[in-house]
Amino acid sequence: DAKTTQPTSMDCAEGRAANLPCNHSTISGNEYVYWYRQIHSQGPQYIIHGLKNNETNEMASLIITEDRKSSTLILPHATLRDTAVYYCIVGDGGSQGNLIFGKGTKLSVKP
Amino acid sequence: DVKVTQSSRYLVKRTGEKVFLECVQDMDHENMFWYRQDPGLGLRLIYFSYDVKMKEKGDIPEGYSVSREKKERFSLILESASTNQTSMYLCASRTQAYEQYFGPGTRLTVT
């Protein structure tokens, strides 16, 4: 079973920030938080990951709470092409570890 | 850019046929994975391999087998296809756990 809880769906206006929450209250000390997304009819795409510090890259920012029990993926200026299912996953980062994909959040960016 | 390619985007097979799904990656990744994705069920891991000739069962291996004779190629085999194996099949590869690269998927229909 996935170790994360995400809302089933969210809407966001084009050009606004999209904030996608994720609860992972049972995360252990050596587990990372990973985010992937899947655009319709494509394979999932890696976005970002973090352990305990906030992270930012060209695609998104990841904010992890101090107790690490929840996190938020931020797309600062959502576009229509960001419409996708977003998966929040926790795992230990080992090279042979498996990533368990839950059902994710369906983000719809509207004009 | 990492590329993971799958032999077909769409495939139609008859019940009882032997089906081969091929996956090739070009980044010398040790780990390769096969998932299936069905509406409402998310991605489920079928098999994975962390080295040539090595394989491990995932969550739903029944009815499937795999082959990894070369590092870059990971094949999924349906020995006798059944209608409940109609699904989207996704291959992935990685070195580090957080950056898993997926292929475009093969939509298999078994009639």
Side-chain angles (χ1 to χ4, degrees):
Chain A
D1 286 343
K3 300 180 189 177
T4 62
T5 304
Q6 298 177 254
T8 303
S9 64
M10 292 181 64
D11 290 341
C12 178
E14 188 178 19
R16 303 297 293 268
N19 297 282
L20 292 94
C22 180
N23 288 319
H24 31 79
S25 57
T26 61
I27 192 169
S28 59
N30 64 342
E31 287 185 317
Y32 289 77
V33 180
Y34 309 108
W35 283 84
Y36 283 73
R37 73 178 182 184
Q38 188 173 20
I39 296 169
H40 183 62
S41 297
Q42 298 182 22
Q45 175 191 22
Y46 164 80
I47 301 172
I48 199 168
H49 77 283
L51 184 62
K52 50 185 175 181
N53 296 325
N54 297 337
E55 302 288 345
T56 295
N57 63 19
E58 65 277 4
M59 289 182 69
S61 295
L62 174 60
I63 308 298
I64 302 174
T65 58
E66 195 167 337
D67 64 8
R68 302 209 323 123
K69 292 185 176 181
S70 65
S71 60
T72 301
L73 180 75
I74 301 171
L75 308 178
H77 306 286
T79 70
L80 299 179
R81 288 181 292 181
D82 291 322
T83 292
V85 177
Y86 287 77
Y87 298 97
C88 169
I89 304 162
V90 298
D92 65 10
S95 62
Q96 295 178 13
N98 295 325
L99 299 177
I100 299 174
F101 287 75
K103 297 187 180 175
T105 296
K106 170 78 168 121
L107 175 69
S108 298
V109 180
K110 299 182 185 298
Chain B
D1 272 358
V2 174
K3 266 204 178 152
V4 179
T5 57
Q6 296 184 228
S7 48
S8 306
R9 285 303 305 265
Y10 300 94
L11 208 53
V12 180
K13 295 291 182 181
R14 293 185 184 272
T15 301
E17 278 194 83
K18 191 168 186 175
V19 182
F20 291 88
L21 302 182
E22 302 283 337
C23 175
V24 178
Q25 51 94 3
D26 66 358
M27 284 300 290
D28 203 35
H29 287 169
E30 292 85 8
N31 302 295
M32 298 188 73
F33 303 81
W34 275 106
Y35 296 85
R36 65 177 282 177
Q37 185 172 32
D38 301 287
L41 295 177
L43 276 83
R44 293 181 291 168
L45 182 64
I46 305 172
Y47 267 98
F48 65 101
S49 168
Y50 53 84
D51 203 351
V52 175
K53 298 193 185 295
M54 305 299 288
K55 60 184 179 184
E56 295 287 341
K57 293 180 180 179
D59 299 320
I60 51 162
E62 297 78 18
Y64 303 94
S65 62
V66 290
S67 172
R68 185 121 182 249
E69 295 298 317
K70 293 184 178 182
K71 193 174 187 179
E72 67 271 18
R73 188 179 298 269
F74 191 35
S75 303
L76 180 69
I77 303 153
L78 287 67
E79 294 288 342
S80 177
S82 63
T83 54
N84 63 12
Q85 292 178 310
T86 290
S87 187
M88 169 70 87
Y89 289 88
L90 289 156
C91 175
S93 75
R94 72 168 189 245
T95 50
Q96 300 300 316
Y98 44 86
E99 283 197 67
Q100 189 158 309
Y101 295 88
F102 284 82
T106 295
R107 188 165 293 282
L108 172 68
T109 302
V110 182
T111 61

